[in-house]
């Protein structure tokens, strides 16, 4: 009897516990339904934050950064044409000299002696030619003797001119105005033909030589001004394009361009490397957007555009590219807002919250 009474009490307890749990679950469900946010609030909380850029028209300048080299306006090695001893050096290293200045004197003693000997022979030949000419006029000599005399005179005079040319080669002079480099031969040195004695450089003007890819070969024009810098100073130097190579380099497919700039203060040194920023072309009233807004697509390139706070995927055709901007030829209009950040999280049709708009 006690056992049945215990079972009855346990059943009542379970029934009461079950009722209590049911009431609690209904209360929690009611509270959850009361706290559920409105659909508009949910949509607002899932909008992706991003930055925007308003497309505007402006001038677009395409630039290309390349490395070139500085070259002297004129530069030659001063060499000897004869194998002779240096008897005097008339110039010092680093001197600025004018064209025609005597730089080196080579030994010419034997040449001067030969010249004097032939001069004496020339005097005798002149007397002989004059005497025979007078005899011919009086029919006292044959024409053959006179012809032989005049020929001997002309041969001697030709030898004199040849010796004078050789003697002139012993006096080595500056071919143009310039600065003398390192002296490599001094008084007493025996030099042979083609021995380099020194260098002379005309750096009053500096040539800037650089190569551009074939894509830009026709965009560089004669008389255009280009800007460059060198490592030795922080100045921006300007050079005028004066020449273009007649054909592309077959190995590199580049075109050699030469520009020139004044160097009155001699601050630019031939052989330096130059960093050029080439102005290739300028488009007026061009649509341009920041480069970071551009994405590759199956058709070429595309951008995300924000319209009514919704993302739209738009194919675009690009033109020139700068360091930070890109020109848009098709796909966008002035006033459109392109998205420039958080692009990996965006999808077409997604809600977007523009944090900043430039």
């Amino acid at each position: 009897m006690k056992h049945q009474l215990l079972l009855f009490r346990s059943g009542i307890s379970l029934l009461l516990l079950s009722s209590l749990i049911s009431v609690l679950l209904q209360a929690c469900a009611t509270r959850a339904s009361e706290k559920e946010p409105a659909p508009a609030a949910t949509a607002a909380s899932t909008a992706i934050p991003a930055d925007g850029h308003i497309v505007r028209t402006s001038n677009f300048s395409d630039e290309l950064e390349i490395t070139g080299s500085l070259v002297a306006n004129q530069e030659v090695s001063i060499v000897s044409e004869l194998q002779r001893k240096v008897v005097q050096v008339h110039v010092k290293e680093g001197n600025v000299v004018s064209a025609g200045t005597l730089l080196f004197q080579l030994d010419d003693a034997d040449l001067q002696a030969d010249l004097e000997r032939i001069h004496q022979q020339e005097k005798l030949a002149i007397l002989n030619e004059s005497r025979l000419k007078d005899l011919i006029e009086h029919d006292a000599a044959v024409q053959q003797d006179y012809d032989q005399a005049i020929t001997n005179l002309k041969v001697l005079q030709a030898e004199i001119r040849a010796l004078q040319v050789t003697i002139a080669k012993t006096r080595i002079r500056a071919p143009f105005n310039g600065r003398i480099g390192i002296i490599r031969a001094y008084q007493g040195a025996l030099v042979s033909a083609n021995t380099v004695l020194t260098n002379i450089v005309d750096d009053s003007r500096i040539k800037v030589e650089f190569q551009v890819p074939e894509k830009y070969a026709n965009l560089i024009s004669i008389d255009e001004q280009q800007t460059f810098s060198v490592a030795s100073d922080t100045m921006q130097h300007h050079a005028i394009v004066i020449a273009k190579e007649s054909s592309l380099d077959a190995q590199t497919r580049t075109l050699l361009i030469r520009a020139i700039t004044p160097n009155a203060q001699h601050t630019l040194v031939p052989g330096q490397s130059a960093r050029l920023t080439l102005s290739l072309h300028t488009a007026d009233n061009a649509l341009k957007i920041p480069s970071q807004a551009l994405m590759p697509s199956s058709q070429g390139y595309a951008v995300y555009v924000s319209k009514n706070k919704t993302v739209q995927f738009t194919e675009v055709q690009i033109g020139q590219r700068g360091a930070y901007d890109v020109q848009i030829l098709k796909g966008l209009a002035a006033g459109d807002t392109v998205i420039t950040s958080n692009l990996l999280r965006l999808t077409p049709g997604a809600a977007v919250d523009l944090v900043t708009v430039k």
Side-chain angles (χ1 to χ4, degrees):
M1 185 67 179
K2 288 181 179 180
H3 181 67
Q4 292 178 349
L5 182 61
L6 288 172
L7 289 175
F8 177 75
R9 289 178 178 176
S10 298
I12 293 175
S13 298
L14 289 173
L15 181 61
L16 292 174
L17 180 60
S18 177
S19 300
L20 180 60
I21 292 172
S22 177
V23 171
L24 289 174
L25 289 174
Q26 290 179 358
C28 290
T30 302
R31 290 178 182 177
S33 62
E34 291 176 352
K35 293 182 178 180
E36 184 178 354
T42 302
S45 63
T46 57
I48 300 172
D51 297 317
H53 179 87
I54 299 175
V55 180
R56 301 180 178 89
T57 60
S58 62
N59 295 336
F60 190 93
S61 178
D62 193 6
E63 295 182 340
L64 176 67
E65 291 190 357
I66 58 175
T67 300
S69 298
L70 301 188
V71 180
N73 185 43
Q74 299 182 84
E75 180 177 5
V76 296
S77 295
I78 303 298
V79 300
S80 171
E81 297 182 64
L82 307 172
Q83 182 172 350
R84 292 193 168 264
K85 184 170 64 175
V86 178
V87 295
Q88 195 167 2
V89 179
H90 293 274
V91 69
K92 294 182 179 179
E93 296 169 340
N95 277 10
V96 176
V97 298
S98 302
T101 300
L102 181 61
L103 306 179
F104 296 89
Q105 173 67 59
L106 304 182
D107 182 20
D108 65 348
D110 57 332
L111 297 175
Q112 293 290 354
D114 287 341
L115 182 61
E116 179 61 26
R117 175 178 55 81
I118 298 176
H119 270 311
Q120 296 303 324
Q121 292 176 353
E122 180 194 25
K123 291 178 181 179
L124 179 59
I126 291 173
L127 291 173
N128 191 31
E129 184 270 339
S130 178
R131 184 168 52 252
L132 285 172
K133 184 177 181 181
D134 184 62
L135 291 174
I136 286 292
E137 291 176 353
H138 294 84
D139 295 328
V142 296
Q143 184 66 38
Q144 183 178 357
D145 292 339
Y146 176 78
D147 292 341
Q148 183 66 47
I150 191 65
T151 300
N152 289 339
L153 175 61
K154 290 183 178 180
V155 168
L156 289 172
Q157 290 174 339
E159 290 181 1
I160 290 172
R161 288 193 297 270
L163 269 175
Q164 289 173 336
V165 170
T166 304
I167 291 171
K169 291 180 179 179
T170 65
R171 296 171 175 82
I172 301 175
R173 301 180 182 274
F176 50 77
N177 300 343
R179 185 185 303 275
I180 298 298
I182 300 297
I183 302 296
R184 304 182 184 277
Y186 295 92
Q187 185 173 349
L190 180 63
V191 297
S192 59
N194 298 322
T195 298
V196 176
L197 306 179
T198 188
N199 294 325
I200 182 171
V201 175
D202 172 14
D203 60 353
S204 59
R205 296 190 299 170
I206 290 292
K207 297 172 183 175
V208 185
E209 294 186 345
F210 55 94
Q211 294 178 310
V212 297
E214 58 181 326
K215 175 182 177 181
Y216 303 108
N218 293 325
L219 298 181
I220 304 294
S221 301
I222 302 297
D223 295 330
E224 276 188 350
Q225 179 175 280
Q226 302 296 346
T227 303
F228 70 95
S229 60
V230 293
S232 59
D233 59 50
T234 58
M235 294 177 58
Q236 289 293 312
H237 304 272
H238 303 285
I240 302 297
V241 176
I242 59 171
K244 300 166 63 174
E245 188 56 271
S246 57
S247 61
L248 293 173
D249 186 299
Q251 300 296 323
T252 61
R253 301 299 178 187
T254 57
L255 184 69
L256 178 64
I257 308 291
R258 175 178 289 172
I260 197 163
T261 183
N263 189 35
Q265 303 301 319
H266 305 285
T267 54
L268 299 175
V269 181
Q272 281 185 300
S273 62
R275 189 69 178 174
L276 293 101
T277 302
L278 303 180
S279 298
L280 299 175
H281 182 65
T282 299
D284 298 327
N285 298 321
L287 296 176
K288 65 179 182 180
I289 62 173
S291 299
Q292 65 263 32
L294 203 63
M295 300 179 298
S297 73
S298 59
Q299 302 299 320
Y301 293 96
V303 295
Y304 281 134
V305 177
S306 174
K307 289 191 176 181
N308 300 323
K309 296 186 178 181
T310 303
V311 175
Q312 290 188 2
F313 185 79
T314 304
E315 300 278 354
V316 294
Q317 180 182 344
I318 68 171
Q320 305 173 57
R321 300 194 69 158
Y324 307 102
D325 299 313
V326 60
Q327 181 188 10
I328 301 298
L329 301 178
K330 292 182 180 179
L332 295 176
D336 288 344
T337 302
V338 296
I339 300 173
T340 59
S341 66
N342 225 355
L343 301 181
L344 295 179
R345 294 182 57 190
L346 299 177
T347 56
V352 63
D353 179 21
L354 296 180
V355 180
T356 62
V357 177
K358 297 181 180 179

